[in-house]
Amino acid sequence: MSNTEDLFKKIVSHSKEFGFIFQSSEIYDEGLASVYDYGQLGAELKKNLQNYWWRAMTQLHENVTGIDAAILMHPKTWKASGHVDSFNDPLIDNKDSKKRYRADVLLEDQIARYQKKGKDRNAEELRVALADCLNNNDLNGLQQLIIDHEIACPFSGTRNWTDVRQFNLMFSTQMSATADSGAGELYLRPETAQGIFVNFLNVQKTGGMRIPFGIAQIGKAFRNEIVARQFLFRMREFEQMEMQFFVRKGEEMKWFEYWKNQRMNWIKSLGIPEEKLRWKKHDKLAHYANAAEDIEYEFPFGFKEIEGIHSRTDFDLSRHQEFSGKKIQYFDNEINQNYVPYVVETSAGSDRIFFMLLCNSYKEEKVVDGEKEKIRKYLRLHPALAPVKAAIFPLVNKDGLPETGRKIMDELKYEFRVFYDERDSIGKRYAKQDLAGTPFCFTVDHQTLQDETVTVRHRDDTRQERLKIGTLADFLREKVEIKGLLKSLNV
Ligand code: ATP
């Protein structure tokens, strides 16, 4: 098994073992495919991550404000946005394994294989041909490429393929009939962006917003994705952290560059090394875009998108104007003109960034324990994101140490997520917190009773120091508050 495959498996099993991620409803058969639940530590980490995004977008940028729109929207929304007619994936089935694949993903994987083998010319030729087929909606062409490049099904190993067909990714549901509205087909939103567009005028008018300004939102999105087995990377129910920034026509490329920079800085501030990140220009622009680039992270299965920055022109607002029959325009009193604004979007996947954090922070290090060599495992999460900020341990379960530990806990719990534990040996307790990513452990021992100090043990280098109990809140505040991360962005 290669190291990267190994890492992928380790992350998946670590996530389950320590309560970060569980397969949805897994007590039934093998659970629901490509749907996941966040466990006790995962939920905390996700909230911290989303809180950091929210504050970085809305608090640091005076001209960005946030909303929380409903998942269900009027069905005309999706007609207007183009999702009913063209939110499709080209799919192909292998007749022997009966497995279904995205034709473009099979071809992209082939490009990556060529690149890995140093066959750069083949890779480039295939990339151009793929972009051509996608841009021209040429389904036969996609099938021909799969045949010509001798791509086999990873399960059956055969090249016995069906035709390529289009498949809409939206989940539909029914709204029950009422006397005045009638029954109707609704969609679970496939992106959060449309909830922002339909509220453009509401927010602009009630918030007195002046262009350029942005509306941010974190929320669930649903896509009936075919490709499974990529853990949090490709889910059927996932969360987006999106911001739509409304600008004057002609200024979109300036803002596109601005937001590209802002977003890359934010991702790096999570502790992601530069060489694990790259930009990728879209070969095929979506029907609404005039520029689009993705931030890609090197997951164990290769460089893959975590966030897209898109210049969406005035497509969405114009279409909503057309389909609703309501004027959706902005009066720009600097130039004395009414117009439909252009939009630059930053669209990040909360779950993919969460997954990236797990991949990036999972560490194994050799340590010498007496005569023996051991592997120490820990999650090197930024303290501001870590699910639990500090664990409090009485060294032994007697002599008044638990009482002092409880007292510290009671002082800190109003401000920080802290955890009290008096079971097991101290070594085991440290190891457990390392695996949860807890940056600090405070241990109460007999010296504490004499001089009111505790041992502070640091997760990353296992260093220990003694601090006065009265200074612990200040110590934590400095290390674990999101404020520190926000300041590092230098906005
Ligand atoms: P892909 O090409 O990987 O399918 P996309 O280009 O369709 O992604 P966008 O529509 O740009 O993705 O969505 C914005 C972000 O939402 C993506 O960068 C990604 O982080 C996240 N996202 C999209 N689809 C999924 C999914 N199925 N599971 C988890 N996150 C997703």
Side-chain angles (χ1 to χ4, degrees), residues 116-144:
K116 226 174 173 174
K117 288 186 193 156
K119 295 184 170 177
D120 288 346
R121 244 190 64 201
N122 295 34
E124 184 55 16
E125 270 171 24
L126 183 53
R127 191 189 66 73
V128 172
L130 171 61
D132 235 33
C133 289
L134 291 176
N135 281 322
N136 297 320
N137 226 345
D138 179 1
L139 302 182
N140 293 337
L142 285 175
Q143 190 201 24
Q144 200 54 50

Side-chain angles (χ1 to χ4, degrees), residues 223 225 233-235 238 240 305-306 310 347 349 352:
R223 296 182 188 177
E225 303 267 13
F233 181 78
R234 198 168 293 286
M235 296 155 78
F238 58 99
Q240 293 185 310
E305 168 178 352
I306 50 169
H310 310 129
S347 176
R352 286 190 189 175

Side-chain angles (χ1 to χ4, degrees), residues 142-197:
L142 285 175
Q143 190 201 24
Q144 200 54 50
L145 285 177
I146 288 172
I147 295 166
D148 291 349
H149 289 266
E150 302 186 344
I151 296 172
C153 165
F155 281 87
S156 63
T158 68
R159 300 184 199 134
N160 195 7
W161 296 110
T162 61
D163 292 345
V164 177
R165 281 165 301 150
Q166 291 286 23
F167 184 85
N168 194 289
L169 289 170
M170 283 198 293
F171 279 101
S172 61
T173 184
Q174 294 290 322
M175 184 140 113
S176 60
T178 58
D180 47 359
S181 68
E185 188 177 36
L186 293 186
Y187 296 102
L188 301 184
R189 66 179 177 198
E191 63 175 26
T192 55
Q194 300 304 325
I196 294 178
F197 292 129

Side-chain angles (χ1 to χ4, degrees), residues 92 97 113 125 157 207 231 373 389 395 425 440 473:
I92 190 164
S97 67
R113 274 194 293 275
E125 270 171 24
F231 196 43
E373 247 190 16
K389 306 306 178 189
L395 182 64
S425 70
F440 308 106

